[in-house]
Amino acid sequence: MNDLEKYILKNRDELDHLEPVPEEAMWKKIRANSIPQKPPTRTGFNWKLLAIATLVLSVAGWGLLFFKKQATVPPVVTPPKQEVPIAEQPLEENEMPAVEQTVPIAARQPDKPTQEQIAAAERKVPPSIAKQPKRKAKRVTEEEAAAQTTIFAEEQELQQLVVQKQQEIGLDTLDRATYADLLKELDELEISVAEARRDLGGIPQQERLMETLIRYYELKIRILEQINYEINKQKYHEALEKRI
Amino acid sequence: MTAIETISEIELVQLCRNGDEQAQRQLYSRYVGAMFHTVLRLTANREDAEDLTQEVFIKVFEKLDSFRGESTVGAWIKRVAVNTTLNFLRQANRLKMVAVESQNLPPEAEPEVDETAWANDIRRIHEAMGELPDGCRLVFNLHLLEGYRHQDVAQMLGITESTSKTQYMRAKRILREKLMVGN
């Protein structure tokens, strides 16, 4: 290596600063030629819509199941209608006696059919058919009970997970303004599930309600995880700021 | 000084991969000067150097996911720059080497140059390098300034190793002559 080579290598860095570099102009062209932009992290996922869709599907599914069951149940045999004078009906407390008129016995809700009426109805239905719904109803109830126990355990597990996530995040002390979007989604989810509890609160709907609740917990956990991710991202950027 | 200007290369690359525009701008600012000058020395044409530098950074941002961290990001970008430029020159049919009679250029036959002719004037050397013929300019730059061995240069340019060596000696001879004349 001669002196010229040595001199060039010694001043190597200078060689990278001799010409003016049109940095801004080139950058604009690079941007215009599309640096691939990854889509921004989705924080605005519409959990409410998803929750509502879940609820609608749940209710629709239950409704379908209910009507299907109704269609397969043998027709209820009602005792022959008899008309009795209103005056013979027992009066409720503080109820004024009515004027003379008649109502069908079937419409008198508090009254139960008499033994004679039941016996008469059973005579019209073959015993094999008459007893079938009763046995079937008992078996279904046991299965349902087992299923509900499983779902209940699952719900409890998810509930614990939600509590754990909330504690990790410190949800109660979180700055609501910073995570407004996600917290709003969480609130909307709470409203949706409250509506579900109200609409599906009856005993026959318990299974559907439990399924809806489990879905609700799953959604809630996902939102909490999203909040956790945002918190960690914020911490990372704060750490970078401190390095200045 | 902002936080993005002080973060490490690894962090910067990660942010760029995530599509952070500020980080991409920072990575570009850190390396655009060196890459532009590298490309300019290889092409000896300012307009080509601008176009190729843009192409290099577009490729860099597109392919950043393939950067495995086996070298510095600067070295990786430099490889992209060199390969992009050589592809351009190949397509433009500018990789032709002028045949050199090796016997005319024995190392011992090199006339010594008065150091005062070029000392303290790197700009003159830079300009003289830009006037070298394509083939020997490429070899001279790749070997001396970019640090590639003659074996690697030969492979990159599709020539033999001995051709690379003779082209390098030719480049030095022409350079000295130019510097002497300039003096």
Side-chain angles (χ1 to χ4, degrees):
Chain A
M1 189 175 282
N2 64 22
D3 288 343
L4 178 62
E5 290 166 299
K6 287 176 187 168
Y7 180 79
I8 289 172
L9 287 179
K10 190 179 168 188
N11 295 278
R12 172 71 181 79
D13 287 345
E14 272 190 65
L15 283 171
D16 283 345
H17 297 91
L18 292 172
E19 297 287 337
V21 181
E23 190 175 327
E24 278 302 320
M26 287 197 295
W27 176 247
K28 280 179 187 169
K29 287 180 185 173
I30 290 167
R31 297 294 307 168
N33 280 284
S34 72
I35 291 174
Q37 295 295 306
K38 291 187 179 176
T41 310
R42 288 193 66 183
T43 56
F45 183 74
N46 201 330
W47 298 101
K48 187 185 178 185
L49 271 181
L50 187 57
I52 289 169
T54 307
L55 288 178
V56 168
L57 286 174
S58 301
V59 172
W62 174 81
L64 196 67
L65 194 68
F66 179 77
F67 286 115
K68 202 174 172 183
K69 276 185 180 175
Q70 287 286 84
T72 55
V73 169
V76 176
V77 179
T78 55
K81 289 182 182 178
Q82 293 177 9
E83 288 186 354
V84 292
I86 283 248
E88 289 178 21
Q89 296 172 22
L91 289 174
E92 295 291 329
E93 199 176 350
N94 299 327
E95 191 180 350
M96 295 298 287
V99 291
E100 187 79 9
Q101 62 183 56
T102 60
V103 292
I105 285 177
R108 294 165 63 186
Q109 294 299 326
D111 290 347
K112 291 179 180 175
T114 61
Q115 290 298 321
E116 292 80 14
Q117 287 168 338
I118 293 170
E122 283 183 346
R123 277 197 296 276
K124 291 181 181 177
V125 181
S128 60
I129 297 174
K131 289 180 181 177
Q132 198 175 29
K134 212 178 258 182
R135 284 202 306 271
K136 190 177 179 182
K138 193 181 175 184
R139 188 166 62 247
V140 169
T141 304
E142 284 167 359
E143 287 168 359
E144 281 174 354
Q148 281 187 15
T149 307
T150 309
I151 293 170
F152 182 69
E154 194 177 345
E155 190 222 352
Q156 277 196 322
E157 198 177 320
L158 286 166
Q159 200 172 12
Q160 284 171 0
L161 194 57
V162 165
V163 172
Q164 189 187 331
K165 290 272 174 201
Q166 285 175 339
Q167 286 170 349
E168 276 176 20
I169 294 168
L171 193 66
D172 297 337
T173 55
L174 208 61
D175 177 18
R176 291 193 71 83
T178 308
Y179 307 100
D181 288 346
L182 288 168
L183 290 173
K184 189 181 170 195
E185 285 172 11
L186 211 52
D187 291 343
E188 286 171 348
L189 188 61
E190 296 292 352
I191 292 168
S192 298
V193 83
E195 286 171 0
R197 281 181 198 275
R198 191 190 62 214
D199 295 342
L200 299 173
I203 291 170
Q205 291 96 335
Q206 278 299 307
E207 190 180 342
R208 305 304 303 175
L209 176 61
M210 293 300 266
E211 285 174 6
T212 305
L213 284 177
I214 286 170
R215 185 75 188 128
Y216 149 74
Y217 284 123
E218 287 171 352
L219 287 172
K220 190 167 183 176
I221 288 166
R222 285 171 67 180
I223 296 175
L224 290 171
E225 282 173 348
Q226 184 70 29
I227 292 174
N228 197 26
Y229 170 78
E230 294 294 328
I231 290 170
N232 288 335
K233 200 166 82 175
Q234 181 69 21
K235 283 178 183 170
Y236 173 73
H237 284 292
E238 282 171 4
L240 289 183
E241 292 285 339
K242 283 178 185 172
R243 290 190 184 184
I244 301 171
Chain B
M1 190 174 282
T2 61
I4 200 79
E5 289 171 349
T6 58
I7 62 173
S8 69
E9 266 193 4
I10 295 171
E11 289 167 330
L12 190 62
V13 167
Q14 194 50 50
L15 287 171
C16 289
R17 283 172 173 158
N18 293 338
D20 187 319
E21 189 181 334
Q22 201 186 356
Q24 289 172 341
R25 182 69 170 85
Q26 178 59 27
L27 187 72
Y28 168 80
S29 292
R30 282 190 193 182
Y31 294 106
V32 66
M35 298 311 141
F36 176 78
H37 280 87
T38 298
V39 175
L40 181 61
R41 284 192 294 268
L42 294 173
T43 60
N45 181 298
R46 189 174 179 85
E47 197 176 327
D48 289 343
E50 287 182 19
D51 290 345
L52 286 167
T53 304
Q54 291 162 36
E55 191 180 331
V56 166
F57 278 96
I58 289 169
K59 280 184 186 173
V60 163
F61 291 126
E62 280 175 352
K63 296 181 177 178
L64 205 52
D65 282 337
S66 66
F67 172 61
R68 302 281 172 232
E70 290 160 357
S71 63
T72 63
V73 72
W76 181 72
I77 296 173
K78 179 65 74 77
R79 276 204 301 278
V80 175
V82 169
N83 289 338
T84 303
T85 306
L86 293 184
N87 283 338
F88 165 78
L89 294 173
R90 190 172 291 116
Q91 284 169 10
N93 205 20
R94 286 172 59 184
L95 288 187
K96 283 182 180 173
M97 302 286 155
V98 176
V100 178
E101 293 298 329
S102 58
Q103 63 271 26
N104 293 339
L105 298 164
E108 55 275 16
E110 291 180 7
E112 284 303 318
V113 178
D114 178 6
E115 194 171 324
T116 56
W118 41 265
N120 302 318
D121 197 351
I122 193 73
R123 178 169 287 281
R124 276 193 60 208
I125 296 172
H126 168 72
E127 287 167 357
M129 282 164 54
E131 292 168 5
L132 289 171
D134 281 347
C136 65
R137 187 186 65 251
L138 284 170
V139 172
F140 186 78
N141 274 288
L142 291 172
H143 179 66
L144 184 64
L145 295 178
E146 307 308 334
Y148 291 101
R149 296 172 303 168
H150 281 297
Q151 190 183 352
D152 300 326
V153 173
Q155 199 172 2
M156 290 162 83
L157 300 179
I159 56 177
T160 63
E161 191 176 335
S162 70
T163 301
S164 176
K165 285 177 181 173
T166 52
Q167 289 290 336
Y168 183 76
M169 286 188 283
R170 180 176 179 236
K172 282 199 295 183
R173 178 176 58 80
I174 297 172
L175 205 51
R176 276 196 306 270
E177 287 169 0
K178 285 182 180 295
L179 291 170
M180 289 289 283
V181 170
N183 198 35

